[in-house]
Amino acid sequence: MGRNGEFVGLSVMRWKEIQQLPAGRFQRLTGVKRATFEKMLSVINEHNSRTRKHPTRGKPPKLQKEDQLLMMLMYLREYRTFFHIAASYGISEGQCFRIIRKLESILVSSEVFHLPGRKALSQGDNQWEVLVIDVGESPVERPKKNSGGITPAKRKSTH
């Protein structure tokens, strides 16, 4: 255990290790293609450079932006808890939560990763196909309550 009760020394794939992976293995690990990862990273860096008041002041973050993005993708892909992800990266659970929520909001608010709304989908030139599946119920025989053969046998065997 490290300071503040956080776990230290758990191995996790950091950006330094995974950037040399082949494209297929990179996508299997992160859930996105390398080009999508790079685009996400550029959107995050652009947002940070645009909104940061004093880029040279303050303590540098413990994790690089690439590792923060990997942490968010790990949360979304594997649905691990913030506690487990934080333990893997050696940060607090609260910091892990703040990083992931911040990156999610940056990516959702960007035009690059923004999905069209309901109105845009309904007004578009989309052709819809409907698939109807009949899932009728079939009766299942269940034992009757307090049937004579089952309950007394249980009572006799417990004495």
Side-chain angles (χ1 to χ4, degrees):
M1 290 267 242
R3 61 185 173 91
N4 300 332
E6 60 200 29
F7 289 103
V8 213
L10 296 175
S11 83
V12 65
M13 293 290 284
R14 301 252 181 167
W15 176 245
K16 289 186 290 188
E17 291 94 21
I18 72 162
Q19 61 185 346
Q20 281 83 25
L21 287 176
R25 292 192 67 204
F26 181 87
Q27 185 174 357
R28 283 183 61 199
L29 183 66
T30 61
V32 295
K33 294 181 179 179
R34 193 179 305 269
T36 306
F37 184 89
E38 296 294 335
K39 188 64 179 170
M40 288 174 149
L41 193 60
S42 69
V43 166
I44 291 167
N45 287 334
E46 178 185 316
H47 177 270
N48 287 341
S49 66
R50 196 175 58 239
T51 59
R52 180 123 186 201
K53 292 180 185 177
H54 304 286
T56 58
R57 291 187 188 169
K59 183 178 177 182
K62 188 172 184 178
L63 296 174
Q64 298 176 356
K65 291 296 177 198
E66 293 88 351
D67 288 329
Q68 291 179 11
L69 183 56
L70 283 173
M71 192 169 64
M72 184 196 74
L73 292 172
M74 181 187 299
Y75 172 73
L76 295 174
R77 181 162 173 79
E78 300 171 11
Y79 207 65
R80 294 176 64 192
T81 63
F82 292 119
F83 176 75
H84 286 100
I85 296 171
S88 298
Y89 282 91
I91 60 174
S92 70
E93 187 175 358
Q95 186 65 23
C96 177
F97 173 80
R98 285 188 294 274
I99 290 170
I100 290 174
R101 291 296 179 231
K102 179 182 175 185
L103 295 182
E104 284 177 343
S105 67
I106 290 171
L107 292 174
V108 167
S109 65
S110 76
E111 293 296 320
V112 178
F113 297 103
H114 186 74
L115 295 175
R118 229 183 305 181
K119 287 183 181 179
L121 289 175
S122 65
Q123 293 173 354
D125 194 20
N126 298 325
Q127 293 181 355
W128 299 94
E129 290 185 27
V130 178
L131 178 65
V132 179
I133 300 174
D134 181 19
V135 288
E137 293 184 27
S138 54
V140 176
E141 290 187 33
R142 301 187 189 275
K144 306 270 188 220
K145 282 190 173 182
N146 297 329
S147 65
I150 298 173
T151 307
K154 286 184 180 177
R155 287 187 186 154
K156 288 180 184 176
S157 66
T158 59
H159 286 16

